[in-house]
Amino acid sequence: MIRSELVQKIADDNPHLFQRDVERIVNTIFEEIIDAMAAGDRVELRGFGAFSVKQRDARTGRNPRTGEAVEVEEKHVPFFKTGKLLRDRLNGK
């Protein structure tokens, strides 16, 4: 499901809301999650999962084409851990 499909589904399930308002709500939720993660915070949605940021240290890597050593900078990457409810539903429990 992509963002526009999510907006359409919510708008269809809530006919009293305008689609532009639903789109604004969805965008606001995503922006708040992004802003919290950018600040280094953890975002937990009970029953769904938790978003967090993990730090990868700087290291020496290899260019797969030439085999030459390359310095890889430290970076922060998003991480998602599923919640128990989501995990159980995916496994048919």
Side-chain angles (χ1 to χ4, degrees):
M1 177 179 281
I2 59 176
R3 185 185 303 221
S4 60
E5 291 172 340
L6 176 63
V7 169
Q8 188 62 50
K9 172 84 170 113
I10 295 171
D12 291 345
D13 290 349
N14 298 282
H16 60 282
L17 295 174
F18 291 112
Q19 183 161 347
R20 68 178 182 270
D21 294 334
V22 172
E23 190 170 343
R24 189 175 309 137
I25 291 167
V26 169
N27 289 338
T28 300
I29 290 169
F30 287 148
E31 285 299 320
E32 287 300 316
I33 291 171
I34 291 167
D35 291 346
M37 290 178 67
D41 295 334
R42 182 173 184 263
V43 177
E44 182 176 338
L45 303 172
R46 297 283 170 146
F48 182 71
F51 297 92
S52 61
V53 178
K54 293 208 175 204
Q55 179 180 337
R56 292 196 182 156
D57 295 329
R59 62 184 172 83
T60 301
R62 295 251 174 238
N63 181 331
R65 185 171 289 169
T66 64
E68 177 184 346
V70 178
E71 291 301 316
V72 179
E73 296 180 3
E74 170 187 282
K75 61 178 130 179
H76 296 86
V77 293
F79 179 75
F80 177 74
K81 182 177 179 183
T82 58
K84 184 176 183 330
L85 180 64
L86 175 60
R87 206 170 29 249
D88 288 347
R89 288 190 65 185
L90 290 175
N91 292 309
K93 295 181 183 176

